[in-house]
Amino acid sequence: MRTEPRFPAALERAQALFEDEQATAAVETALILPIALTVLALLVYGAEGFAIDRKVTLTARTVTDLITQATPTLYSGGSSVVAAAAIDSNLQVASAVLTPYTAANMTMVVSEVLVAANGATATVQWSEPYNGASARPANQVLTLPPSLGTGQGGSYFILGEVSYTYAPLQLWTPLGTIVLSGSIYLTPRQSTSITCHNCATPD
């Protein structure tokens, strides 16, 4: 008795195996894809956040440098007098450093501080805010960074502070806003100190 080869059954088994492999690949893709997209999103967020953070630091440096070099309207008692309007203009100019990122999310405050005799703290002499920031109150005591060095008692410094609210693009992984900030102390260039005329926190 002759037995016919059972090709249809073999084909059915091969087809079933092929379909199982497709199903396995689909499951693996479904498991890996969200992780891969999350990693990609974090890379995008991280690169953009790093770029903005660098610009925030540069903006703080720029605005503080501009204020320390501001041309005074007059000198009084060894201090160069600068109008609040001139300081506001320098703050606006410095905001352009953030380009191409929007400056609408950025706030700035520039203040002059007088270092105490101990060299570890300083008191606010005047302060001027920008873009909705709050000026520092007069005579507020600040702890100076160790990097400022010793022997600075009696010296005046201009403190520039910049904050930026970074809102990442909502691609695949939703993230909340992150506040990036930078600050720097620089000495006045035109005289030993600067008097701000009509600043938010007057001298």
Side-chain angles (χ1 to χ4, degrees), residues 84-146:
I87 290 179
D88 292 338
S89 177
N90 286 327
L91 286 164
Q92 185 174 7
V93 168
S95 68
V97 175
L98 274 169
T99 305
Y101 304 104
T102 177
N105 297 342
M106 180 189 65
T107 59
M108 288 189 284
V109 180
V110 63
S111 312
E112 183 177 68
V113 300
L114 172 59
V115 181
N118 60 16
T121 61
T123 55
V124 174
Q125 306 300 293
W126 57 262
S127 186
E128 181 73 353
Y130 177 80
N131 199 27
S134 297
R136 287 188 175 275
N139 299 317
Q140 181 184 28
V141 178
L142 305 178
T143 300
L144 297 175

Side-chain angles (χ1 to χ4, degrees), residues 36-59:
L37 291 178
T38 299
V39 171
L40 179 60
L42 291 176
L43 288 174
V44 172
Y45 298 151
E48 186 179 45
F50 178 77
I52 294 176
D53 186 60
R54 293 287 296 172
K55 284 185 172 288
V56 165
T57 301
L58 183 57
T59 301

